[in-house]
Amino acid sequence: MIIVTGATGTLNGATLDHLLKRIPPGQIGVSVRDPSRATHLAAQGVRVRQGSYDDAAALRHSFADAEQVLLVSSSDLTADVVAQHRRAIDAAVDAGAQRILYTSTHGAGFDTPYPPLGIHAATEQYLSESGAAWTSLRNGFYGDPAQLLGAWEQTGEIAMPADGPFSWIDRRDAAEAAAAVLTADEPFEGPIDLTLPEPVTLADFAASASEIAGRRIERVVVDDEKWVADAISRGTPEEVARFTLSMFQATRSGHFSDSDPTLTRFLGRSPRSITDQLIGLDTR
């Protein structure tokens, strides 16, 4: 049995959809905070149990009989996330899982200006010491491109701090790759980088947006402190603005400049490009 956490969320919800195309639903279980949101999965024959990264006993119950457990990284900004991850790893080990998979991030490491990379590195270190076989899915950045690019449709500009090369993948591709790893004939050990074949920059986004929109979208580099001040003036809390700024600082210091063909191999095709991802947005 494969147990998937976060199965009512966007990423692992899509992973579950791909799993259901590959293996019978009776071989899949989900551990979710609110089972009432997973009734559609139960109706398909998926085992649904309540589980929370803050409740070790509930996790052990929801992980029972698991051969593999897929842990999604916690999105609880108010919690001790590393402690939550450790609790989930311990529960998977206690439940007898033979392999633990974890949704990490490309560039995970302790020496970085971007705090999430240290959280992922600490989780991977704990996984390596857990005694269980483990795989870390180091996904490139993903999400709504509009959150990365700002109000470019209205302004005709991508006005953000200086950046460097990074990988922005489509979340649908990350989910499909996770399902492929979970159902592969041969296990994959340790960290796996899941990135675009070549890194991109915001200048590349501007070029793609210009082509799609049929008008020129400029890439404008904004001074770090001016960008933070502008964000605060628009109502963004300063700590949130500086957190976002740290991501740009990490890109320009080369933390995300590497690329890897593994995602392409798992998909059996080229990953969706940034142009593919922007086509779905309203670019008028």
Side-chain angles (χ1 to χ4, degrees):
M1 178 169 280
I2 295 172
I3 305 296
V4 178
T5 66
T8 56
T10 305
L11 176 61
N12 275 1
T15 299
L16 195 70
D17 289 341
H18 283 289
L19 282 176
L20 286 167
K21 297 174 184 176
R22 292 170 174 264
I23 59 176
Q27 296 178 16
I28 304 171
V30 298
S31 174
V32 293
R33 287 177 293 183
D34 183 0
S36 68
R37 295 181 57 201
T39 54
H40 63 293
L41 300 175
Q44 296 178 70
V46 173
R47 191 185 83 182
V48 176
R49 292 185 177 177
Q50 195 278 331
S52 163
Y53 284 4
D54 296 317
D55 187 337
L59 285 175
R60 286 192 294 271
H61 177 68
S62 65
F63 293 164
D65 306 317
E67 179 181 354
Q68 299 184 85
V69 174
L70 174 60
L71 301 177
V72 68
S73 56
S74 173
S75 59
D76 187 347
L77 300 180
T78 66
D80 182 339
V81 171
V82 174
Q84 287 184 321
H85 292 167
R86 288 175 175 174
R87 194 174 296 115
I89 292 165
D90 289 343
V93 171
D94 291 344
Q98 297 176 29
R99 176 170 296 278
I100 304 170
L101 297 93
Y102 168 69
T103 59
S104 184
T105 296
H106 179 226
F110 293 107
D111 182 20
T112 167
Y114 187 49
L117 300 184
I119 290 173
H120 290 300
T123 302
E124 291 181 355
Q125 182 176 349
Y126 197 74
L127 274 168
S128 70
E129 298 167 353
S130 70
W134 64 284
T135 306
S136 179
L137 306 173
R138 288 184 169 180
N139 295 311
F141 287 112
Y142 57 78
D144 180 359
Q147 295 178 334
L148 172 71
L149 306 179
W152 60 275
E153 293 113 325
Q154 292 77 36
T155 64
E157 298 178 343
I158 297 177
M160 305 297 280
D163 68 308
F166 61 98
S167 192
W168 186 274
I169 65 174
D170 193 294
R171 185 158 32 200
R172 293 170 293 180
D173 288 343
E176 185 176 344
V181 174
L182 284 162
T183 57
D185 292 332
E186 296 295 329
F188 295 87
E189 305 292 341
I192 301 173
D193 285 331
L194 300 174
T195 70
L196 293 177
E198 297 292 338
V200 296
T201 65
L202 290 185
D204 296 318
F205 272 98
S208 291
S210 298
E211 178 182 351
I212 295 167
R215 57 192 172 97
R216 185 170 181 79
I217 306 298
E218 296 282 353
R219 166 65 173 118
V220 176
V221 176
V222 182
D223 174 78
D224 286 0
E225 292 305 315
K226 182 180 187 308
W227 183 84
V228 169
D230 289 345
I232 293 171
S233 71
R234 293 191 298 268
T236 302
E238 181 175 359
E239 62 181 15
V240 175
R242 293 199 177 279
F243 175 85
T244 304
L245 175 63
S246 71
M247 182 192 76
F248 290 106
Q249 292 171 331
T251 67
R252 64 197 190 215
S253 59
H255 279 83
F256 309 109
S257 59
D258 294 336
S259 59
D260 192 280
T262 301
L263 179 59
T264 301
R265 188 167 72 248
F266 283 140
L267 296 176
R269 57 171 173 79
S270 296
R272 292 174 175 88
S273 68
I274 58 172
T275 301
D276 296 330
Q277 296 176 60
L278 287 178
I279 285 174
L281 300 177
D282 183 359
T283 57
R284 291 174 294 176

Coordinates of all heavy atoms in Angstrom, one line a residue, residues 96-153:
G96 N 6.1 0.9 10.1 CA 6.7 -0.2 9.3 C 6.9 0.1 7.8 O 7.2 -0.8 7.0
A97 N 6.8 1.4 7.4 CA 7.0 1.7 6.0 C 8.4 1.4 5.6 O 9.4 1.7 6.3 CB 6.7 3.2 5.8
Q98 N 8.5 0.8 4.4 CA 9.8 0.4 3.9 C 10.5 1.6 3.2 O 11.7 1.6 3.1 CB 9.6 -0.7 2.8 CG 9.0 -2.0 3.5 CD 8.8 -3.1 2.4 OE1 9.4 -3.2 1.4 NE2 7.8 -3.9 2.7
R99 N 9.7 2.5 2.7 CA 10.3 3.7 2.0 C 9.5 4.9 2.4 O 8.3 4.9 2.4 CB 10.4 3.5 0.5 CG 11.0 4.7 -0.2 CD 11.3 4.4 -1.7 NE 12.3 3.4 -1.8 CZ 13.6 3.7 -1.7 NH1 14.0 5.0 -1.6 NH2 14.5 2.7 -1.8
I100 N 10.2 6.0 2.6 CA 9.6 7.3 2.8 C 10.0 8.3 1.7 O 11.2 8.4 1.5 CB 9.9 7.9 4.2 CG1 9.6 6.9 5.3 CG2 9.2 9.2 4.5 CD1 10.2 7.3 6.7
L101 N 9.0 8.9 1.1 CA 9.3 9.9 0.1 C 8.9 11.3 0.6 O 7.9 11.4 1.3 CB 8.6 9.6 -1.2 CG 9.0 8.3 -1.9 CD1 8.1 7.1 -1.4 CD2 9.0 8.4 -3.4
Y102 N 9.6 12.3 0.2 CA 9.3 13.6 0.8 C 9.4 14.7 -0.3 O 10.4 14.6 -1.1 CB 10.4 13.9 1.9 CG 10.4 15.4 2.4 CD1 9.4 15.9 3.1 CD2 11.5 16.2 2.1 CE1 9.4 17.2 3.5 CE2 11.6 17.5 2.5 CZ 10.5 18.0 3.2 OH 10.6 19.3 3.6
T103 N 8.5 15.6 -0.4 CA 8.5 16.6 -1.4 C 9.4 17.8 -0.9 O 9.0 18.6 -0.1 CB 7.1 17.2 -1.7 OG1 6.5 17.7 -0.5 CG2 6.2 16.1 -2.2
S104 N 10.6 17.8 -1.4 CA 11.6 18.8 -1.0 C 11.7 19.9 -2.1 O 10.7 20.1 -2.9 CB 12.9 18.1 -0.8 OG 13.9 19.0 -0.4
T105 N 12.8 20.6 -2.1 CA 13.0 21.7 -3.1 C 14.4 21.6 -3.7 O 15.3 21.4 -3.0 CB 12.8 23.1 -2.4 OG1 11.4 23.2 -1.9 CG2 13.0 24.2 -3.3
H106 N 14.4 21.9 -5.0 CA 15.7 22.0 -5.6 C 16.6 23.1 -4.9 O 16.1 24.1 -4.6 CB 15.5 22.4 -7.1 CG 16.7 22.6 -7.9 ND1 17.0 23.7 -8.7 CD2 17.8 21.8 -8.0 CE1 18.1 23.6 -9.3 NE2 18.7 22.5 -8.9
G107 N 17.8 22.7 -4.7 CA 18.7 23.6 -4.0 C 18.8 23.5 -2.5 O 19.4 24.3 -1.8
A108 N 18.1 22.5 -1.9 CA 18.0 22.3 -0.5 C 19.5 22.3 0.1 O 20.4 21.6 -0.4 CB 17.3 21.0 -0.1
G109 N 19.6 23.1 1.2 CA 21.0 23.2 1.8 C 20.9 24.1 2.9 O 20.0 25.0 3.1
F110 N 21.9 24.1 3.8 CA 22.0 24.9 5.0 C 22.6 26.3 4.7 O 22.2 27.3 5.4 CB 22.7 24.2 6.1 CG 22.0 23.0 6.6 CD1 22.5 21.7 6.3 CD2 20.9 23.1 7.4 CE1 21.9 20.6 6.8 CE2 20.2 22.0 7.9 CZ 20.7 20.7 7.6
D111 N 23.5 26.4 3.8 CA 24.2 27.6 3.5 C 23.5 28.4 2.4 O 23.9 28.4 1.2 CB 25.6 27.4 3.1 CG 26.4 28.6 2.9 OD1 26.0 29.7 3.4 OD2 27.5 28.6 2.2
T112 N 22.4 29.1 2.7 CA 21.6 29.8 1.7 C 20.8 30.9 2.4 O 20.5 30.9 3.6 CB 20.5 28.8 1.1 OG1 19.6 29.5 0.4 CG2 19.8 28.0 2.2
P113 N 20.6 32.0 1.6 CA 19.8 33.1 2.2 C 18.3 32.8 2.2 O 17.5 33.6 2.8 CB 20.1 34.2 1.2 CG 20.4 33.6 -0.1 CD 21.1 32.3 0.3
Y114 N 17.8 31.7 1.6 CA 16.4 31.4 1.5 C 16.0 30.4 2.6 O 16.4 29.2 2.4 CB 16.1 30.9 0.1 CG 14.6 30.8 -0.2 CD1 13.7 31.8 0.1 CD2 14.2 29.6 -0.8 CE1 12.4 31.6 -0.2 CE2 12.8 29.4 -1.1 CZ 11.9 30.4 -0.8 OH 10.6 30.3 -1.2
P115 N 15.3 30.8 3.6 CA 15.1 29.9 4.8 C 14.5 28.5 4.5 O 14.9 27.5 5.1 CB 14.2 30.7 5.7 CG 14.5 32.1 5.3 CD 14.8 32.1 3.9
P116 N 13.5 28.4 3.5 CA 13.0 27.0 3.3 C 14.0 26.0 2.9 O 13.8 24.8 3.2 CB 11.9 27.3 2.2 CG 11.5 28.7 2.3 CD 12.8 29.4 2.7
L117 N 15.1 26.4 2.3 CA 16.1 25.4 1.9 C 16.7 24.8 3.0 O 17.1 23.6 3.0 CB 17.1 26.1 1.0 CG 16.6 26.8 -0.3 CD1 17.8 27.3 -1.1 CD2 15.8 25.8 -1.1
G118 N 16.9 25.5 4.1 CA 17.5 24.9 5.4 C 16.5 23.9 6.0 O 16.9 22.9 6.6
I119 N 15.2 24.3 6.0 CA 14.2 23.4 6.5 C 14.2 22.0 5.7 O 14.1 21.0 6.3 CB 12.8 24.0 6.4 CG1 12.7 25.2 7.4 CG2 11.7 23.0 6.7 CD1 11.4 26.0 7.3
H120 N 14.2 22.1 4.4 CA 14.2 20.9 3.6 C 15.5 20.1 3.9 O 15.5 18.9 3.9 CB 14.1 21.2 2.1 CG 12.8 21.7 1.7 ND1 11.6 21.0 1.9 CD2 12.4 22.9 1.2 CE1 10.6 21.7 1.4 NE2 11.0 22.9 1.0
A121 N 16.7 20.8 4.0 CA 17.9 20.1 4.3 C 17.9 19.4 5.6 O 18.3 18.2 5.7 CB 19.1 21.1 4.2
A122 N 17.3 20.0 6.6 CA 17.2 19.4 7.9 C 16.3 18.2 7.9 O 16.6 17.2 8.5 CB 16.7 20.4 8.9
T123 N 15.2 18.3 7.1 CA 14.3 17.1 7.0 C 15.0 16.0 6.2 O 14.9 14.8 6.6 CB 13.0 17.5 6.2 OG1 12.4 18.6 6.9 CG2 12.1 16.4 6.1
E124 N 15.7 16.3 5.2 CA 16.5 15.3 4.5 C 17.5 14.6 5.4 O 17.7 13.4 5.3 CB 17.1 15.8 3.2 CG 16.1 16.3 2.2 CD 16.8 16.8 0.9 OE1 18.1 17.0 0.9 OE2 16.1 17.1 -0.1
Q125 N 18.2 15.4 6.2 CA 19.2 14.8 7.1 C 18.5 13.9 8.1 O 19.0 12.8 8.4 CB 19.9 16.0 7.9 CG 20.9 15.5 8.8 CD 21.7 16.6 9.5 OE1 21.5 17.8 9.2 NE2 22.5 16.3 10.5
Y126 N 17.3 14.2 8.6 CA 16.6 13.4 9.5 C 16.1 12.1 8.8 O 16.2 11.0 9.4 CB 15.4 14.1 10.1 CG 14.8 13.5 11.4 CD1 15.5 13.6 12.6 CD2 13.6 12.7 11.3 CE1 15.0 13.0 13.7 CE2 13.1 12.1 12.5 CZ 13.8 12.3 13.7 OH 13.3 11.7 14.8
L127 N 15.7 12.2 7.6 CA 15.3 11.0 6.8 C 16.5 10.1 6.6 O 16.4 8.9 6.8 CB 14.9 11.5 5.4 CG 13.4 11.8 5.2 CD1 13.2 12.5 3.9 CD2 12.5 10.6 5.4
S128 N 17.7 10.7 6.4 CA 18.9 9.8 6.2 C 19.3 9.1 7.4 O 20.0 8.0 7.4 CB 20.1 10.7 5.7 OG 20.5 11.5 6.7
E129 N 18.9 9.6 8.6 CA 19.2 9.0 9.9 C 18.1 8.1 10.4 O 18.2 7.6 11.5 CB 19.5 10.1 10.9 CG 20.8 10.9 10.5 CD 20.9 12.2 11.3 OE1 20.0 12.5 12.1 OE2 21.9 12.9 11.2
S130 N 17.0 8.0 9.7 CA 15.8 7.4 10.2 C 15.8 5.8 10.2 O 15.1 5.2 10.9 CB 14.5 7.8 9.4 OG 14.6 7.2 8.0
G131 N 16.7 5.3 9.4 CA 16.8 3.8 9.3 C 15.9 3.3 8.1 O 16.1 2.1 7.8
A132 N 15.0 4.1 7.6 CA 14.2 3.7 6.5 C 14.9 4.1 5.1 O 15.6 5.1 5.1 CB 12.8 4.3 6.6
A133 N 14.5 3.4 4.1 CA 14.9 3.8 2.8 C 14.2 5.1 2.5 O 13.0 5.3 2.9 CB 14.6 2.8 1.7
W134 N 14.8 6.0 1.7 CA 14.1 7.3 1.5 C 14.4 7.9 0.2 O 15.5 7.6 -0.4 CB 14.5 8.3 2.6 CG 15.9 8.7 2.7 CD1 17.0 7.9 3.2 CD2 16.5 9.9 2.2 NE1 18.2 8.6 3.0 CE2 17.9 9.8 2.4 CE3 16.0 11.1 1.6 CZ2 18.8 10.8 2.1 CZ3 16.9 12.1 1.3 CH2 18.2 12.0 1.5
T135 N 13.5 8.7 -0.3 CA 13.7 9.5 -1.5 C 13.2 10.9 -1.3 O 12.1 11.1 -0.8 CB 12.9 8.8 -2.7 OG1 13.2 7.4 -2.8 CG2 13.2 9.5 -4.0
S136 N 14.0 11.8 -1.7 CA 13.6 13.2 -1.6 C 13.4 13.8 -3.0 O 14.3 13.8 -3.8 CB 14.7 14.0 -0.9 OG 14.4 15.4 -0.8
L137 N 12.1 14.3 -3.2 CA 11.8 14.8 -4.5 C 12.1 16.3 -4.5 O 11.3 17.1 -4.0 CB 10.3 14.5 -4.8 CG 9.8 13.1 -4.7 CD1 8.3 13.0 -4.8 CD2 10.6 12.2 -5.8
R138 N 13.2 16.7 -5.0 CA 13.6 18.1 -5.0 C 13.1 18.8 -6.2 O 13.7 19.0 -7.2 CB 15.2 18.2 -5.0 CG 15.8 17.7 -3.7 CD 17.3 17.9 -3.7 NE 17.9 17.8 -2.4 CZ 19.2 17.9 -2.2 NH1 20.0 18.2 -3.2 NH2 19.7 17.8 -0.9
N139 N 11.8 19.3 -6.0 CA 11.1 20.0 -7.1 C 11.7 21.4 -7.3 O 12.1 22.0 -6.4 CB 9.7 20.1 -6.8 CG 9.0 18.7 -6.7 OD1 9.1 17.9 -7.6 ND2 8.2 18.5 -5.7
G140 N 11.7 21.8 -8.6 CA 11.9 23.2 -8.9 C 10.8 24.0 -8.3 O 9.8 23.5 -7.9
F141 N 11.0 25.3 -8.3 CA 9.9 26.2 -7.9 C 8.6 25.9 -8.7 O 8.7 25.6 -9.9 CB 10.2 27.7 -8.1 CG 11.2 28.2 -7.1 CD1 12.5 28.5 -7.5 CD2 10.9 28.3 -5.7 CE1 13.4 29.0 -6.6 CE2 11.8 28.7 -4.8 CZ 13.1 29.1 -5.2
Y142 N 7.4 26.0 -8.1 CA 6.2 25.9 -8.9 C 5.1 26.7 -8.2 O 5.3 27.2 -7.1 CB 5.7 24.4 -8.9 CG 5.5 23.7 -7.6 CD1 4.4 24.0 -6.9 CD2 6.5 22.9 -7.1 CE1 4.2 23.3 -5.6 CE2 6.3 22.2 -5.9 CZ 5.2 22.5 -5.2 OH 5.0 21.8 -4.0
G143 N 4.0 26.9 -8.9 CA 2.9 27.7 -8.3 C 2.3 28.6 -9.4 O 2.5 28.4 -10.6
D144 N 1.6 29.6 -9.0 CA 0.9 30.5 -9.9 C 2.0 31.5 -10.4 O 2.5 32.3 -9.6 CB -0.2 31.2 -9.2 CG -0.9 32.2 -10.1 OD1 -0.5 32.4 -11.3 OD2 -1.9 32.9 -9.6
P145 N 2.3 31.5 -11.7 CA 3.3 32.4 -12.2 C 3.0 33.9 -11.9 O 3.9 34.7 -11.8 CB 3.3 32.2 -13.7 CG 2.8 30.8 -13.9 CD 1.8 30.6 -12.8
A146 N 1.7 34.2 -11.7 CA 1.4 35.6 -11.4 C 2.0 36.0 -10.1 O 2.3 37.2 -9.9 CB -0.2 35.7 -11.4
Q147 N 2.1 35.1 -9.2 CA 2.7 35.5 -7.9 C 4.2 35.8 -8.0 O 4.8 36.5 -7.2 CB 2.5 34.3 -6.9 CG 1.1 34.1 -6.6 CD 0.9 32.9 -5.6 OE1 1.7 32.0 -5.6 NE2 -0.2 32.9 -4.8
L148 N 4.8 35.2 -9.0 CA 6.3 35.4 -9.3 C 6.5 36.7 -10.0 O 7.5 37.4 -9.8 CB 6.9 34.2 -10.0 CG 8.3 34.4 -10.6 CD1 9.3 34.3 -9.4 CD2 8.6 33.3 -11.6
L149 N 5.6 37.0 -10.9 CA 5.8 38.1 -11.9 C 5.3 39.4 -11.5 O 5.6 40.5 -12.2 CB 5.3 37.7 -13.3 CG 5.8 36.3 -13.8 CD1 5.1 36.0 -15.1 CD2 7.3 36.3 -13.9
G150 N 4.4 39.5 -10.6 CA 3.7 40.8 -10.2 C 2.6 41.1 -11.2 O 2.2 40.3 -12.0
A151 N 2.2 42.4 -11.1 CA 1.1 42.8 -11.9 C 1.5 43.2 -13.4 O 1.2 44.3 -13.9 CB 0.4 44.0 -11.2
W152 N 2.1 42.3 -14.0 CA 2.7 42.6 -15.3 C 1.6 42.8 -16.4 O 1.9 43.6 -17.4 CB 3.7 41.5 -15.8 CG 3.1 40.2 -15.9 CD1 2.9 39.3 -14.9 CD2 2.6 39.6 -17.1 NE1 2.3 38.1 -15.4 CE2 2.1 38.3 -16.7 CE3 2.5 40.0 -18.4 CZ2 1.5 37.4 -17.7 CZ3 1.9 39.1 -19.3 CH2 1.4 37.8 -19.0
E153 N 0.5 42.1 -16.3 CA -0.6 42.3 -17.3 C -1.0 43.8 -17.3 O -1.3 44.3 -18.4 CB -1.8 41.4 -17.0 CG -1.5 39.9 -17.2 CD -1.6 39.2 -15.9 OE1 -1.2 39.8 -14.9 OE2 -2.0 38.0 -15.9

